[in-house]
Amino acid sequence: MTANLALPKATRKALRLTWLGLWTERITRAFWPVWSVVFVAVGAALLGAHQALSEITIAVVGVGFFLCILAAILHGARQFERPKWAEAQTRLDKTLSGRPISSLLDAQAIGTRDPASQAVWEIHQNRMRAQAQTAKAVEPDLRVSRFDPFGLRFVALLVLSVGVLFGSFGQLSSVTKITQATDELAMGPSWEGWVTPPVYTGRPTIYLPDVPAGPLRVPEGSEVTVRLYGELGSLGVMQSVTRSQADPNAAEQRFVIEKSGALAIGMADQNATKADRAPQQWSVIMEPDQAPSIIASAPVRSEADGTLLQQFLAQDDYGVVAGSGVISLDLLNVDRAHGLLAEPENHPQITLQLPMTITGDRAQFEETLTENFSEHVFANLPVVLQMQVEDSLGQTGQSAPIKMTLPGRRFFDPLASAIIEQRRDLLWTRENATRVERLLRAISWLPDDIFRGEGTYLSLSFIIRDLANLGRQMSDEKRDEIAQALWELAIELEDGDLEDARQRLARAQERLNEAMRNGASQEEIAELMQELRDASQDYLRQLAQEQQRNGEAGDQQQAGNSQEITPDQLQQMMDEIQQLMEEGRMAEAQERMAQLNRMLENMRVAQGSGEGGSQGEGQQAMEDLAETLRDQQDLSDEAFRQLQEQFEQSEQQGQQGQQQGQDGQQGEGGQQGNQSGQQQGQQPGEQSGGQSGGQGGAEGLGDLEGSLQNRQQALRQELDAQRRNLPGAGTQAGDDARDALGRAEGAMENADEALGEGDLAEAIDQQSRAIQALRDGLRDLGEAMAQANDGAPQEGQGTPSGQNGGASRDPLGRDRGQGRAISDGEGLLQGDDANRRAQDLLDEIRRRSGDAERPELELEYLKRLLERF
């Protein structure tokens, strides 16, 4: 130790701390079993474990603990090795570079009389002293995992922690009293007692000797334990908190608090003094356990797939342990029609378990009941839901009955919906088996018209055969088997397993149209719109891959019978449809849906080639103008159909017969005049249109005229924005294109005014001028783009009609050009493929005439065409 005086002060301090750390480390490793046993003993005593043991058992356990502690001390003493100061020096020195402590404690061995050697030694000592001053005490390694592989020390620490948190230090004194029972018998009688509340309350045990006399509030169901020590009969217990009475002088008494009352413990020996006989008395106030309660905290909701969502709030003074719900059929409110006319079978109630909160306090929590009953017979029928919760005492609380229509999956496919209805009737009662079998036969009478594949028709045929064979005598298992087969068939018809992308796209459109007609919810519309988007993307992706496989030639050939559309345009149109449906404008949404259907009937994907700007801004401008031209043509056709209706009404009523009586063919000539756009045919149409619009002879057409005017205004505003952003500025062709679009915008404005005045003939004339101006603008824009690319028209650019023999044609055989410029009809149905195109036209007319959803006027016109050709 004296040699350490040569060390710096900081080094000596670090060395002392390291030496103390060695003591701590070795004591911990040698004697950790000692305090582990002590921790277990103290923790058990705090928790009152000795209360459940007899005095002899407590004595044996106490001796056992003492022997364990003694053995641990002896074992630790043998394992303990007193740390030496040199060990502390070595440990600290290892943490420093160059071992400076050892160097400072060393002496110069040679050259002690050589001044040069002494100088070198002095420099070395100074450097080591500076290095030693940076020494930091080494922390002791207190890990004993190598000596305690099973982690027994942690078990002991856990027992002690639980005892401190949930036990009572008053229990420690009771251990001494129990072990000293013999001495106490000599000294005189004594007692101790506890009040243990039910476990579910979470309240701690009450040690009665520590509670002063007075009011004592305890939960209902608490257990009182009293132990009397001394001569039998010297102490007594008086209580009125339970209905059953026991011997008040028994050495140990246990009873459960069932009501409020008094509890007293005192000496029963009449020879004792009055002060000694004064009992310790409490006024016990029992806190009754309240029954739980449950309410519906929000209205019933349902998801698009028919999942029931019912939010509820449950409460209890100590906690809810379980909950259930019962759904029963509200037979009085069932619409007893069709298959529901028959008396239902005895359908059991639906019993389900309410979800309980996993984390948090169950005294008050809010959860949501989520179940799907789409396959149950009660689906889409009036039902009553009643929820119930239970506490630990078995008390229950019920919610008010909730009347609702049990949510179920909605089927938008008419065939799937009809099959689901028959499935419900079969589950309602087996008396409907014959009726269901006949209706299913009627539904499948013409399978080619309603089934998209043979698999679904065969599945339905097997179901019908089983129904015919079994009839009303079918067993429960067979009925459930048929019901499951009907459900799977309806799901297949509704969702389908359509491998072809085009069929999937058409299917998505049909389901969305059906949803709009049936007034579907916002969630269902959103789900169907997403299905349409996915189907469209899949179809576009496969169509693009097919174009790439076929190459440029195949793409040009396909373009002859299709219109070009970009994925962005398709996405924009579907966004507009969804917005209109969300706003409740179903008529406009159906109109836009019809436009989308026509667009998808004949479509190809627009892909950029990356050749400069020819496929960029100019191509997009031409596509937008081409779409505007198509919209203007559709608007003009609709105005013309309205004018035809006015002529037909005039002919039926005969109100204008006097002015047109000179020519028996005047009505037909007027129509032809309007179709050719000649002024001679427009004048009568104009007069007729004005009279019918002014006198109200065509009520209901006014709304349509307003719709036409609104569409014309929107189209004119869109054209104005396109004209301002038109490329090719500064070139002759670009300026000509702007002038043409300016003329088209002026004609649209005149058509807008004519529609507002009800003059359909003038509106059609102005619309024809707008269409011609749009065609001129498209042609001029195509020339401007061709000049911008060294005078050679690129793929996808418009060219004047008839100038490019390889340009694509529409279904009528007219030149459209890559830019969709509409030709003047030159070469209509001329060439080698005239017969093929004529056959295609005839097939298209037949297909449209078979569509029952088309307007009656259009169907009559198509029938007249079929009769002529």
Side-chain angles (χ1 to χ4, degrees):
M1 295 289 290
T2 58
N4 293 331
L5 298 177
L7 298 177
K9 183 178 180 180
T11 307
R12 293 197 302 271
K13 180 180 178 182
L15 189 58
R16 283 194 298 271
L17 293 176
T18 303
W19 184 64
L20 293 176
L22 281 174
W23 275 94
T24 307
E25 177 181 317
R26 295 188 179 181
I27 290 174
T28 301
R29 293 181 178 180
F31 296 101
W32 68 267
V34 176
W35 52 73
S36 296
V37 177
V38 173
F39 286 172
V40 172
V42 174
L46 290 174
L47 292 173
H50 56 281
Q51 298 175 4
L53 303 177
S54 63
E55 298 177 2
I56 298 176
T57 305
I58 292 176
V60 172
V61 172
V63 171
F65 271 112
F66 176 76
L67 293 177
C68 288
I69 294 174
L70 182 60
I73 292 175
L74 294 176
H75 178 269
R78 288 195 303 268
Q79 296 293 329
F80 179 74
E81 184 179 355
R82 183 175 179 276
K84 299 178 182 179
W85 188 262
E87 293 177 347
Q89 290 179 354
T90 303
R91 173 175 287 196
L92 182 61
D93 205 14
K94 288 181 179 179
T95 62
L96 300 174
S97 177
R99 300 292 184 94
I101 297 177
S102 299
S103 298
L104 290 175
L105 297 178
D106 287 344
Q108 185 176 359
I110 61 175
T112 55
R113 298 181 179 180
D114 185 6
S117 298
Q118 291 180 356
V120 172
W121 177 256
E122 187 65 28
I123 293 173
H124 172 68
Q125 289 289 304
N126 292 336
R127 290 178 178 176
M128 292 298 101
R129 189 174 291 105
Q131 183 70 21
Q133 287 181 349
T134 62
K136 301 294 183 182
V138 180
E139 295 181 359
D141 184 6
L142 302 180
R143 293 176 297 178
V144 293
S145 55
R146 182 164 57 93
F147 307 98
D148 182 21
F150 299 104
L152 299 178
R153 63 193 186 282
F154 296 120
V155 176
L157 182 61
L158 176 62
V159 173
L160 178 63
S161 301
V162 173
V164 172
L165 292 175
F166 302 103
S168 172
F169 286 96
Q171 306 287 353
L172 296 177
S173 61
S174 64
V175 177
T176 306
K177 294 179 180 180
I178 293 176
T179 56
Q180 296 177 354
T182 305
D183 297 337
E184 291 178 354
L185 286 175
M187 295 174 59
S190 63
W191 63 271
E192 62 178 350
W194 304 267
V195 178
T196 307
V199 177
Y200 67 84
T201 63
R203 294 191 180 184
T205 299
I206 301 174
Y207 187 59
L208 288 177
D210 295 340
V211 180
L216 177 61
R217 308 183 72 89
V218 294
E220 179 183 1
S222 298
E223 184 182 27
V224 179
T225 302
V226 180
R227 289 177 181 172
L228 306 178
Y229 306 110
E231 185 180 353
L232 186 63
S234 60
L235 289 175
V237 178
M238 290 73 72
Q239 54 88 16
S240 60
V241 296
T242 183
R243 297 179 178 87
S244 60
Q245 295 294 333
D247 184 5
N249 298 323
E252 181 174 339
Q253 301 184 29
R254 296 177 182 267
F255 50 88
V256 177
I257 297 178
E258 299 176 348
K259 60 180 180 177
S260 298
L263 173 62
I265 303 174
M267 298 187 66
D269 189 358
Q270 299 298 326
N271 297 325
T273 63
K274 183 177 181 180
D276 294 335
R277 286 189 284 109
Q280 189 170 357
Q281 184 173 354
W282 299 271
S283 176
V284 179
I285 302 175
M286 186 191 72
E287 297 177 348
D289 193 332
Q290 302 295 330
S293 64
I294 180 173
I295 60 172
S297 57
V300 179
R301 296 182 293 112
S302 63
E303 294 182 348
D305 62 347
T307 300
L308 167 70
L309 298 174
Q310 177 59 66
Q311 196 170 354
F312 63 88
L313 175 65
Q315 293 179 329
D316 187 61
D317 45 4
Y318 295 112
V320 176
V321 297
S324 62
V326 176
I327 299 177
S328 56
L329 181 65
D330 189 3
L331 191 59
L332 296 178
N333 292 322
V334 174
D335 184 12
R336 305 295 293 275
H338 307 296
L340 303 181
L341 281 172
E343 287 299 319
E345 296 181 359
N346 187 19
H347 297 291
Q349 298 176 334
I350 302 175
T351 303
L352 44 92
Q353 296 297 322
L354 296 181
M356 297 287 105
T357 179
I358 299 177
T359 60
D361 187 9
R362 287 196 178 184
Q364 179 176 353
F365 64 92
E366 193 170 20
E367 284 290 338
T368 302
L369 172 63
T370 304
E371 293 288 344
N372 192 313
F373 301 102
S374 296
E375 299 187 41
H376 199 274
V377 64
F378 293 168
N380 299 314
L381 292 178
V383 296
V384 177
L385 168 63
Q386 191 161 35
M387 297 178 289
Q388 176 178 295
V389 289
E390 180 181 351
D391 64 5
S392 298
L393 279 184
Q395 301 179 108
T396 60
Q398 293 183 341
S399 67
I402 305 173
K403 294 186 176 182
M404 62 177 175
T405 298
L406 187 64
R409 173 167 179 170
R410 294 190 61 180
F411 289 83
F412 299 99
D413 183 271
L415 181 57
S417 179
I419 290 176
I420 286 298
E421 182 178 353
Q422 300 312 309
R423 175 184 179 273
R424 180 205 62 189
D425 294 347
L426 179 63
L427 291 174
W428 181 262
T429 176
R430 273 166 285 199
E431 297 295 326
N432 288 329
T434 304
R435 178 179 182 275
V436 171
E437 181 255 336
R438 292 175 179 174
L439 285 175
L440 291 179
R441 288 187 184 275
I443 291 173
S444 59
W445 177 247
L446 297 175
D448 294 339
D449 296 339
I450 59 176
F451 289 96
R452 292 185 296 275
E454 295 181 359
T456 53
Y457 173 66
L458 290 177
S459 299
L460 184 59
S461 300
F462 292 144
I463 296 173
I464 293 174
R465 184 193 62 186
D466 291 342
L467 288 172
N469 294 335
L470 298 173
R472 302 174 180 177
Q473 305 302 322
M474 69 179 67
S475 62
D476 293 345
E477 293 77 9
K478 197 62 182 178
R479 180 200 60 188
D480 296 339
E481 181 181 342
I482 295 176
Q484 183 63 28
L486 288 171
W487 175 264
E488 294 175 355
L489 177 59
I491 292 295
E492 184 176 357
L493 291 171
E494 180 72 12
D495 297 335
D497 187 13
L498 305 177
E499 299 178 357
D500 185 75
R502 185 186 296 275
Q503 292 181 358
R504 184 184 173 206
L505 180 60
R507 180 69 184 142
Q509 296 172 10
E510 293 176 5
R511 293 185 64 188
L512 187 57
N513 282 325
E514 187 70 20
M516 287 189 289
R517 286 193 294 267
N518 294 341
S521 64
Q522 296 290 342
E523 293 79 6
E524 293 168 335
I525 289 177
E527 182 180 4
L528 294 175
M529 281 300 303
Q530 185 61 40
E531 180 182 350
L532 179 61
R533 295 176 196 273
D534 295 340
S536 302
Q537 292 176 0
D538 186 23
Y539 176 63
L540 289 175
R541 182 173 57 256
Q542 294 190 14
L543 187 59
Q545 294 175 356
E546 182 181 358
Q547 292 177 0
Q548 292 176 358
R549 288 192 299 267
N550 296 337
E552 181 179 358
D555 186 63
Q556 291 179 356
Q557 182 178 2
Q558 183 186 16
N561 293 320
S562 64
Q563 72 179 45
E564 188 178 88
I565 181 174
T566 63
D568 292 339
Q569 293 173 341
L570 187 64
Q571 183 71 24
Q572 181 180 3
M573 179 169 289
M574 286 190 287
D575 291 340
E576 294 177 0
I577 293 174
Q578 184 172 2
Q579 182 178 359
L580 290 173
M581 288 190 294
E582 290 175 353
E583 295 175 356
R585 300 156 63 182
M586 292 300 176
E588 300 180 35
Q590 288 181 342
E591 182 180 347
R592 295 295 291 173
M593 193 66 190
Q595 295 179 8
L596 178 62
N597 291 339
R598 291 193 298 269
M599 184 181 301
L600 294 175
E601 283 178 1
N602 206 6
M603 180 182 68
R604 68 185 178 94
V605 182
Q607 296 177 338
S609 61
E611 299 179 1
S614 61
Q615 298 295 331
E617 182 181 4
Q619 179 66 26
Q620 184 64 41
M622 293 195 67
E623 291 175 356
D624 294 341
L625 285 178
E627 184 177 358
T628 303
L629 175 58
R630 287 193 298 274
D631 292 342
Q632 183 62 71
Q633 287 176 328
D634 293 340
L635 190 61
S636 179
D637 292 343
E638 192 168 346
F640 179 71
R641 286 195 295 270
Q642 183 177 348
L643 186 60
Q644 282 183 318
E645 294 177 3
Q646 292 183 358
F647 272 116
E648 291 176 358
Q649 292 175 359
S650 299
E651 291 175 357
Q652 293 174 1
Q653 295 175 1
Q655 295 178 355
Q656 278 78 28
Q658 297 178 357
Q659 297 180 4
Q660 301 176 356
Q662 297 178 358
D663 188 357
Q665 303 296 327
Q666 183 66 26
E668 181 179 356
Q671 282 188 351
Q672 296 174 354
N674 279 284
Q675 293 175 351
S676 61
Q678 297 177 357
Q679 185 67 24
Q680 181 179 359
Q682 291 171 358
Q683 296 301 328
E686 182 178 347
Q687 294 173 2
S688 175
Q691 292 174 1
S692 65
Q695 297 175 4
E699 294 183 3
L701 295 179
D703 295 339
L704 183 57
E705 291 173 1
S707 175
L708 293 177
Q709 185 181 9
N710 294 336
R711 290 169 56 189
Q712 186 67 74
Q713 290 177 358
L715 203 59
R716 180 176 60 84
Q717 294 174 358
E718 182 178 357
L719 179 61
D720 180 60
Q722 294 173 357
R723 184 171 63 87
R724 289 195 300 268
N725 299 326
L726 202 66
T731 63
Q732 181 63 36
D735 294 341
D736 292 344
R738 283 176 170 77
D739 294 340
L741 296 185
R743 295 195 304 272
E745 186 176 348
M748 289 182 179
E749 185 176 2
N750 296 334
D752 181 11
E753 296 177 356
L755 289 173
E757 297 173 358
D759 192 350
L760 290 177
E762 178 63 23
I764 294 173
D765 183 42
Q766 294 296 331
Q767 288 172 347
S768 300
R769 296 177 183 178
I771 291 173
Q772 185 59 44
L774 285 172
R775 291 173 180 171
D776 295 340
L778 272 171
R779 183 179 61 253
D780 293 336
L781 181 58
E783 293 176 357
M785 293 177 61
Q787 294 175 4
N789 290 274
D790 298 331
Q794 302 293 325
E795 180 184 357
Q797 297 177 356
T799 57
S801 177
Q803 294 180 6
N804 188 357
S808 60
R809 298 172 179 269
D810 64 3
L812 295 176
R814 296 172 294 191
D815 293 334
R816 294 194 306 178
Q818 296 294 342
R820 297 188 186 86
I822 306 301
S823 69
D824 55 1
E826 235 178 276
L828 180 62
L829 289 181
Q830 295 179 4
D832 297 335
D833 57 345
N835 294 331
R836 180 183 60 79
R837 291 200 298 272
Q839 184 63 40
D840 292 341
L841 282 173
L842 189 59
D843 293 340
E844 180 65 14
I845 292 173
R846 287 173 178 169
R847 185 186 68 80
R848 296 193 180 189
S849 64
D851 188 357
E853 295 182 0
R854 293 185 177 273
E856 188 66 23
L857 179 62
E858 182 179 354
L859 293 176
E860 293 178 359
Y861 174 73
L862 294 174
K863 290 179 182 178
R864 290 197 300 269
L865 287 177
L866 290 175
E867 291 173 358
R868 291 188 60 183
F869 299 100

